[in-house]
Amino acid sequence: MTDPRNGTKTLGIKLPPALHAQFSLIAQLDDISLGTAVLQAVELYVAHKQSEPDFAKRAAAALAEIEQEAAARKAAIEGLFGKAGPESDASATPASDASATAEAPKAARNRRTSNQE
């Protein structure tokens, strides 16, 4: 959940009782809150993961997958409407046959409606 006042996310975690007791004691000895201790632990974890030799490669693969999924979703939306939204440029690929055939019944309905008037 995002806190709109400061843009932070709330995270609830479950810890085994012994680990929680140790974590609480360490935070108390360091004179910091559990929230601050968790934030420091997460920052340390992120820094550790970023320093792993294969991290950049795995991150690049994840990014490529996200971009591929986004392209597939965009194509699906464009297929629903037969073309891209107003932000598309003239060099965009033409609508697929499926979307073109979806437009044909709509055009026929429009012709029937105007002929009946």
Side-chain angles (χ1 to χ4, degrees), residues 20-61:
H20 182 272
Q22 292 171 348
F23 190 60
S24 295
L25 178 61
I26 292 168
Q28 184 180 9
L29 293 172
D30 284 346
D31 198 28
I32 59 174
S33 69
L34 282 178
T36 299
V38 168
L39 180 60
Q40 290 176 359
V42 170
E43 288 171 342
L44 183 63
Y45 178 75
V46 169
H48 171 73
K49 289 309 227 177
Q50 287 174 327
S51 69
E52 290 180 349
D54 68 335
F55 181 79
K57 180 180 174 184
R58 290 185 294 131

Side-chain angles (χ1 to χ4, degrees), residues 44-113:
L44 183 63
Y45 178 75
V46 169
H48 171 73
K49 289 309 227 177
Q50 287 174 327
S51 69
E52 290 180 349
D54 68 335
F55 181 79
K57 180 180 174 184
R58 290 185 294 131
L63 180 59
E65 184 178 336
I66 289 168
E67 289 173 347
Q68 185 178 15
E69 289 173 6
R73 289 177 59 112
K74 181 180 181 210
I77 291 170
E78 289 173 347
L80 287 172
F81 298 103
K83 61 182 177 180
E87 60 278 345
S88 67
D89 63 348
S91 66
T93 58
S96 69
D97 290 341
S99 62
T101 56
E103 291 294 322
K106 191 186 309 181
R109 280 194 309 272
N110 290 340
R111 281 193 302 274
R112 283 193 303 259
T113 305

